[in-house]
Amino acid sequence: MCGIVGLVAKSLVNQTIFDALTVLQHRGQDAAGMVTCEGNRFFLRKDNGLVNEVFRTRHMKRLVGHVGIGHVRYPTAGSSSAAEAQPFYVNSPYGIALAHNGNLTNADELGEEMFRADLRHINTTSDSEVLLNVFAHELQRQGKLTPDADDIFEAVSKVHKRVKGGYAVVAVITGYGVLAFRDPNGIRPLVYGTRSTPEGEECMVASESVALDISGFTRVRDIEPGEAIFIDMDGNVFTRQCAEKTNLAPCLFEFVYLARPDSIIDNVNVHQARMRMGVKLAEKVLKERPDHDIDVIIPIPDTSRTSALEMAKHLNVTFREGFIKNRYIGRTFIMPGQTQRKKSVRRKLNPIEMEFKGKVVMLVDDSIVRGTTSKQIVQMARDMGARKVYFASAAPPVRFPNVYGIDMPSPTEFIAHNRTESEIGEAIGADWMLYQDLNDLKETVAEGLDIALTDFDSSVFDGYYVTGDIDDAYLERIDQKRNDAAKVKPESVDHEDEAPADLHTKIQ
């Protein structure tokens, strides 16, 4: 999971991209990067850290130009060093910088193919660099000194034929404009919008519509699965379907947890979808325990608040805020490594005793992955004097790894691994465990749409991978790369000498 943005404007783009990245920060807190283009020069700044840490005034002054792209990173595999931060750059053909959200499931094979057949060197472990080189190679094969939109779209078509997985991409081609495209299944989100200025139309593409909103862009529509959009230097917009076979199957976990509630993804209002999740949970409570004894419903901040409020409303039960969140601690699900997650939970949430003491409490969370946070929160509620502690998840049990860009590496690390729902409740210390049904979750997302949304990437819940290329051998390989043990850095390694990347390159 990462956040991407691309922009062609009539004025400097650095501040607008910075603002967009700050509202996409929830999609990645490991690193940030930006490339701008002026004439035939690229300007790059990227490093580990949050957006406001990576981009200081001195960096922003150097990021000149009316065209650019940006990225916030959440690492799923490989290294998390500054060298792995995006965007990546190649000087041939033309000069291309690229950033992407997602994961290529055939990255290893492509990397080998790049070396042996395309004679290109991959310098990092990032599949984004692989994707960049595949696109650059296919664009170079067009053999044009001055490519047009048709040439660029033809290269994207070849990329779709070679690349597998889930991906949303933004790229800037020196002197030509910004390109964005989405995988043929539309697993990872991508949207574009426009803004009118006295100088003319400006266009932005981003992972979520909220990035458009905060800069005054009007959302036009989502990029379709397999579709590409190219915005030239004058702001002219070209679109084309570049994949031979497409099927809209957006990631279901986006609506549960990843996306901001004020975003619209594939015409789905995320906030409304989460409201409906709460209604479905309430209906399940009444079905399983019509004479329930719940005194109060308390959300676990922040993502579950919307669902918890609707759940309380439909059960006619008091809704209370029982936890105060430290806003300066990152999302624990995103943190690389179990030790760091354990340390952060109590520093992140502090309970209010009066909301728990002597009450039967229903805690509501958006989902449960490893159960680390859930177990500690249940214990907090008991420590505050709760008579009983129930736990509801707005999503079904997470039992399978995600291979399309979310760090869910090893099934053995999931609390739901080889456990029934009641056994999960026992494991986290809850008196009653309530999970959303998968079909109900799908209904909450698809409800009310003009065009039926019938398919999803729900692989983390049901183990079905929409790209059709995932087998046990692949899952074993990513398990070895991504499990918590693999994320522990040897103490003998000194990472302080990893310098941030600043590039000021003139293309001859």
Side-chain angles (χ1 to χ4, degrees), residues 4-7 24 27 101 167-170 178-182 186 188-194 203-213 217-225 227 229 231 237 239 262-268:
I4 58 174
V5 60
L7 175 61
L24 296 176
R27 301 188 66 86
N101 169 34
Y167 48 93
V169 178
V170 290
V178 166
L179 168 71
F181 56 93
R182 196 177 181 190
R188 301 265 68 90
L190 193 63
V191 64
Y192 86 94
T194 59
C203 187
M204 177 188 285
V205 290
S207 294
E208 296 184 32
S209 61
V210 65
L212 308 176
D213 298 339
F217 284 79
T218 300
R219 176 182 174 273
V220 176
R221 63 177 175 85
D222 297 280
I223 304 299
E224 297 295 324
E227 186 183 22
I229 177 172
I231 310 107
V237 176
T239 63
D262 46 345
S263 285
I264 297 173
I265 295 177
D266 290 310
N267 294 316
V268 176

Side-chain angles (χ1 to χ4, degrees), residues 255-257 261 270-283 285 297-315 317 319 321 362-367 392-395 434 436 441 444-445:
F255 303 97
V256 171
Y257 174 83
V270 176
H271 177 69
Q272 289 183 337
R274 289 176 183 170
M275 290 174 66
R276 292 190 288 264
M277 292 174 200
V279 173
K280 289 291 187 181
L281 283 175
E283 292 174 353
V285 167
I297 290 180
I298 295 177
I300 298 170
D302 282 316
T303 320
S304 64
R305 185 174 285 112
T306 306
S307 298
L309 187 57
E310 287 300 299
M311 184 182 182
K313 176 182 176 181
H314 282 76
L315 290 176
V317 171
F319 172 89
E321 294 284 355
M362 170 64 84
L363 301 175
V364 180
D365 207 350
D366 50 75
S367 58
S393 168
L434 186 74
Q436 189 85 265
L441 178 59
T444 66
V445 175

Side-chain angles (χ1 to χ4, degrees), residues 34-54:
M34 186 192 308
V35 164
T36 60
C37 178
E38 183 176 50
N40 63 351
R41 296 186 68 187
F42 270 153
F43 300 90
L44 167 65
R45 165 66 182 173
K46 60 179 181 177
D47 195 7
N48 283 350
L50 302 177
V51 173
N52 62 359
E53 297 170 338
V54 171

Side-chain angles (χ1 to χ4, degrees), residues 44-337:
L44 167 65
R45 165 66 182 173
K46 60 179 181 177
D47 195 7
N48 283 350
L50 302 177
V51 173
N52 62 359
E53 297 170 338
V54 171
F55 302 107
R56 300 295 190 180
T57 301
R58 64 184 184 275
H59 307 124
M60 296 292 282
K61 288 180 178 179
R62 294 197 295 263
L63 291 167
V64 296
H66 297 180
V67 177
I69 61 174
H71 183 268
V72 287
R73 181 183 69 185
Y74 156 60
T76 55
S79 170
S80 62
S81 71
E84 305 279 320
Q86 299 182 44
F88 284 100
Y89 164 81
V90 291
N91 63 5
S92 178
Y94 318 115
I96 305 170
L98 178 145
H100 115 279
N101 169 34
N103 185 59
L104 306 187
T105 56
N106 64 337
D108 291 344
E109 295 89 338
L110 282 171
E112 184 70 15
E113 193 176 289
M114 283 277 98
F115 176 70
R116 295 190 178 280
D118 299 344
L119 305 180
R120 284 180 172 266
H121 172 67
I122 306 301
N123 195 53
T124 70
T125 61
S126 173
D127 59 347
S128 302
E129 190 187 11
V130 173
L131 182 54
L132 168 60
N133 277 274
V134 172
F135 172 69
H137 177 76
E138 296 301 336
L139 186 57
Q140 191 163 9
R141 289 180 65 184
Q142 301 300 310
K144 294 280 193 71
L145 180 62
T146 305
D148 56 23
D150 290 338
D151 300 316
I152 293 169
F153 290 145
E154 181 62 25
V156 174
S157 298
K158 298 292 178 59
V159 169
H160 286 320
K161 291 179 180 179
R162 296 180 65 177
V163 168
K164 297 178 182 178
Y167 48 93
V169 178
V170 290
V172 56
I173 305 172
T174 319
Y176 293 98
V178 166
L179 168 71
F181 56 93
R182 196 177 181 190
D183 69 84
N185 290 289
I187 297 172
R188 301 265 68 90
L190 193 63
V191 64
Y192 86 94
T194 59
R195 179 174 69 180
S196 296
T197 71
E199 293 78 21
E201 286 287 301
E202 301 178 337
C203 187
M204 177 188 285
V205 290
S207 294
E208 296 184 32
S209 61
V210 65
L212 308 176
D213 298 339
I214 59 102
S215 297
F217 284 79
T218 300
R219 176 182 174 273
V220 176
R221 63 177 175 85
D222 297 280
I223 304 299
E224 297 295 324
E227 186 183 22
I229 177 172
F230 176 67
I231 310 107
D232 68 19
M233 300 295 283
D234 295 322
N236 298 308
V237 176
F238 306 86
T239 63
R240 179 180 296 180
Q241 177 54 253
C242 295
E244 294 179 352
K245 182 179 180 182
T246 65
N247 173 47
L248 179 59
C251 174
L252 198 53
F253 210 65
E254 287 278 357
F255 303 97
V256 171
Y257 174 83
L258 302 183
R260 275 180 49 143
D262 46 345
S263 285
I264 297 173
I265 295 177
D266 290 310
N267 294 316
V268 176
N269 185 303
V270 176
H271 177 69
Q272 289 183 337
R274 289 176 183 170
M275 290 174 66
R276 292 190 288 264
M277 292 174 200
V279 173
K280 289 291 187 181
L281 283 175
E283 292 174 353
K284 190 168 184 179
V285 167
L286 295 175
K287 180 180 178 180
E288 293 191 6
R289 298 191 181 184
D291 298 323
H292 68 83
D293 56 349
I294 302 170
D295 294 319
V296 61
I297 290 180
I298 295 177
I300 298 170
D302 282 316
T303 320
S304 64
R305 185 174 285 112
T306 306
S307 298
L309 187 57
E310 287 300 299
M311 184 182 182
K313 176 182 176 181
H314 282 76
L315 290 176
N316 196 27
V317 171
T318 301
F319 172 89
R320 293 288 191 189
E321 294 284 355
F323 295 98
I324 300 300
K325 182 178 180 180
N326 181 352
R327 302 290 172 183
Y328 304 99
I329 297 290
R331 300 177 97 177
T332 53
F333 170 71
I334 296 178
M335 291 181 179

Side-chain angles (χ1 to χ4, degrees), residues 76-80 336-338 407 409-410 413 477-490:
T76 55
S79 170
S80 62
Q338 186 77 341
D407 189 18
S410 174
E413 294 173 7
R477 288 201 305 273
I478 66 168
D479 182 22
Q480 297 302 316
K481 290 182 179 180
R482 301 184 187 176
N483 62 45
D484 281 337
K487 293 174 184 174
V488 177
K489 295 179 180 179

